Amino acid sequence: MIGVVYLGNNIKTQERLKYIPGQLVRMANAYKEAAQICTPHVSNEHFLVFFERNVRNEDITAITYLRKKCPNVYIVLMTDTMTDEERSIYIKCGINDTIHQEASVTELNKKIQFIAERESVLFSNEAPWRGMLKFKIPIWKRLFDIVVATFAIIILSPIFILTAIAIKLESKGPVLFKSKRVGTNYTIFDFLKFRSMYVDAESRLKELSKDHNQYKDQEGHDAKSATITAPLGDQAEMAMMDMGMESEMMISDEEIMLVGDDFVVAESDFNKQKEEEINNAFVKIEDDPRITKVGKFIRKFSIDELPQLFNILKGDMSIVGNRPLPLYEAEKLTADSSIDRFMAPAGLTGLWQVEERGRGGTMSAEERKQLDITYGQTYNFLLDMKIILRTFKAFKQKGNV
């Protein structure tokens, strides 16, 4: 089992770490003390260090020292928000991952389990966290993307101009809509589209997705409702653990219970919830009332997607590949069964798009994910040409989605 160390002085975090199921977390107040704990006594002994963020200069000194003295550590920075500059500095000095400084017991336990399950990979001599297995776009595909995107922008420039004018005349707001998307290798970039919705569209997504999401679980229940929980205060749940008391919600003596900040949940129910969240990761709204009149037209003929040709020139995307996902979708597709879809080109069009349109716009989230994985494992020049031809045939969407 991987050793876990907490380096910091946050009492609340220390208390939460004490109640990680089946895990003894060792505490350290100074980085040299942490380095002594992380000194291996046997070969292949590895440590996960939860590092509480403090003063940046002091943090850099501590992380650099740990990385030098203990090459067998995986450092998770406990922090809230960071600027791009701060994130870059902390990565360069040696952190491997981050977690929110107020993460619950359940979230901390998930992080430990995730790293422990990948111990043989993360702690190899090649230090893969500095350059994990990454997809590199082939030269033939990159050259094809540049030539086609450049030619398309020149030919379609009148459509670009007319669309921009129409959007401006109908509603206030910018012509282009930028959103953060996750593409190849989980890289986040600014995804460009012609704006097809009113300016307050994103703020209304949560409300609409409850009743109109096409990918919602067919039984119509919230994933969280399947979780059996027993609400408890921090002090009450700690006292319960100390005295060995059993919650009335426990199914059997053998059932493993995961303890959060304000709940106790059976591990079997937690795993069920996680599976449901992954299966319902995608959000797609039918007959979306947030779309403008111009937006409906440009969506129907996929004109709203044309600015992504500039994403392709920049190298964010390819002509053909897996669709870049919004952050709220991508964060639910980090399980081993989903990672392969991100080890492939991100694209303007792809296998699942042409398959879905060929079936009238009906496809489950799982089918969509599997098609993405299939493309990533089998793509080649001939397949890309077939997808492009099928895209032109299905250019006009059959459904109002």
Side-chain angles (χ1 to χ4, degrees), residues 224 227-238 240 245-250 257-266:
K224 291 184 178 179
T227 302
I228 300 176
T229 62
L232 295 169
D234 285 344
Q235 299 300 323
E237 72 181 29
M238 292 175 187
M240 184 189 76
M245 294 174 61
E246 295 181 355
S247 168
E248 292 181 357
M249 307 303 290
M250 292 185 182
M257 305 303 294
L258 304 180
V259 183
D261 284 345
D262 55 1
F263 64 86
V264 176
V265 58

Side-chain angles (χ1 to χ4, degrees), residues 362-378:
T362 58
M363 181 175 291
S364 70
E366 180 61 27
E367 289 175 314
R368 169 179 167 177
K369 183 178 70 176
Q370 291 304 320
L371 284 173
D372 285 344
I373 292 173
T374 298
Y375 175 78
Q377 295 173 343
T378 61

